[in-house]
Short mmCIF file of all heavy atoms in Angstrom, two decimals:
data_model
loop_
_atom_site.label_atom_id
_atom_site.label_comp_id
_atom_site.label_asym_id
_atom_site.label_seq_id
_atom_site.Cartn_x
_atom_site.Cartn_y
_atom_site.Cartn_z
N GLN P 16 7.70 16.91 3.95
CA GLN P 16 8.48 17.20 5.12
C GLN P 16 9.78 16.43 5.00
O GLN P 16 9.96 15.71 4.03
CB GLN P 16 7.72 16.75 6.38
CG GLN P 16 7.29 15.32 6.35
CD GLN P 16 6.40 14.96 7.51
OE1 GLN P 16 6.68 15.37 8.63
NE2 GLN P 16 5.33 14.24 7.30
N GLY P 41 14.90 24.98 -10.94
CA GLY P 41 14.90 24.40 -12.26
C GLY P 41 15.34 25.37 -13.31
O GLY P 41 16.07 25.04 -14.25
N THR P 81 25.88 17.83 -6.78
CA THR P 81 26.77 16.67 -6.86
C THR P 81 28.14 16.91 -6.23
O THR P 81 28.86 15.95 -6.03
CB THR P 81 26.96 16.27 -8.34
OG1 THR P 81 27.49 17.36 -9.07
CG2 THR P 81 25.65 15.76 -8.96
N TYR P 84 28.93 14.98 -3.21
CA TYR P 84 27.87 14.06 -2.95
C TYR P 84 28.39 12.64 -2.97
O TYR P 84 28.90 12.16 -4.06
CB TYR P 84 26.76 14.30 -3.95
CG TYR P 84 25.57 13.35 -3.81
CD1 TYR P 84 24.63 13.53 -2.80
CD2 TYR P 84 25.43 12.24 -4.67
CE1 TYR P 84 23.53 12.67 -2.65
CE2 TYR P 84 24.37 11.43 -4.54
CZ TYR P 84 23.41 11.61 -3.52
OH TYR P 84 22.31 10.75 -3.43
N VAL P 98 29.07 6.10 -22.93
CA VAL P 98 28.86 6.27 -21.49
C VAL P 98 27.38 6.61 -21.24
O VAL P 98 26.87 7.56 -21.85
CB VAL P 98 29.75 7.40 -20.94
CG1 VAL P 98 29.45 7.62 -19.47
CG2 VAL P 98 31.21 7.09 -21.16
N VAL P 185 15.85 0.52 -23.68
CA VAL P 185 15.81 1.32 -22.45
C VAL P 185 16.71 0.71 -21.37
O VAL P 185 16.63 -0.48 -21.04
CB VAL P 185 14.38 1.39 -21.88
CG1 VAL P 185 14.34 2.20 -20.59
CG2 VAL P 185 13.44 2.00 -22.93
N ARG P 187 17.75 -0.31 -17.78
CA ARG P 187 16.94 -0.70 -16.62
C ARG P 187 17.60 -0.34 -15.29
O ARG P 187 16.98 -0.30 -14.24
CB ARG P 187 16.67 -2.21 -16.62
CG ARG P 187 15.39 -2.66 -17.22
CD ARG P 187 15.35 -2.49 -18.73
NE ARG P 187 14.22 -3.30 -19.29
CZ ARG P 187 13.86 -3.20 -20.55
NH1 ARG P 187 14.47 -2.41 -21.36
NH2 ARG P 187 12.86 -3.96 -20.98
N GLY P 193 12.02 11.03 -7.05
CA GLY P 193 11.50 12.21 -6.41
C GLY P 193 12.59 13.18 -6.02
O GLY P 193 13.74 12.75 -5.79
N LEU P 230 21.51 2.57 -28.37
CA LEU P 230 21.34 2.16 -29.79
C LEU P 230 21.38 0.63 -29.93
O LEU P 230 20.79 0.04 -30.86
CB LEU P 230 22.39 2.85 -30.66
CG LEU P 230 22.15 2.89 -32.15
CD1 LEU P 230 20.87 3.63 -32.43
CD2 LEU P 230 23.32 3.66 -32.84
N SER P 252 24.79 5.73 -26.39
CA SER P 252 23.71 5.89 -25.43
C SER P 252 23.39 7.40 -25.38
O SER P 252 24.25 8.27 -25.50
CB SER P 252 24.08 5.41 -24.06
OG SER P 252 23.03 5.43 -23.17
N ILE P 261 3.44 17.22 -10.58
CA ILE P 261 2.05 16.87 -10.96
C ILE P 261 1.10 17.94 -10.41
O ILE P 261 1.12 18.29 -9.22
CB ILE P 261 1.69 15.48 -10.40
CG1 ILE P 261 2.64 14.43 -10.88
CG2 ILE P 261 0.23 15.14 -10.81
CD1 ILE P 261 2.68 14.24 -12.36
#
Side-chain angles (χ1 to χ4, degrees):
Q16 52 188 319
T81 57
Y84 178 77
V98 178
V185 179
R187 266 70 166 172
L230 199 56
S252 186
I261 303 298

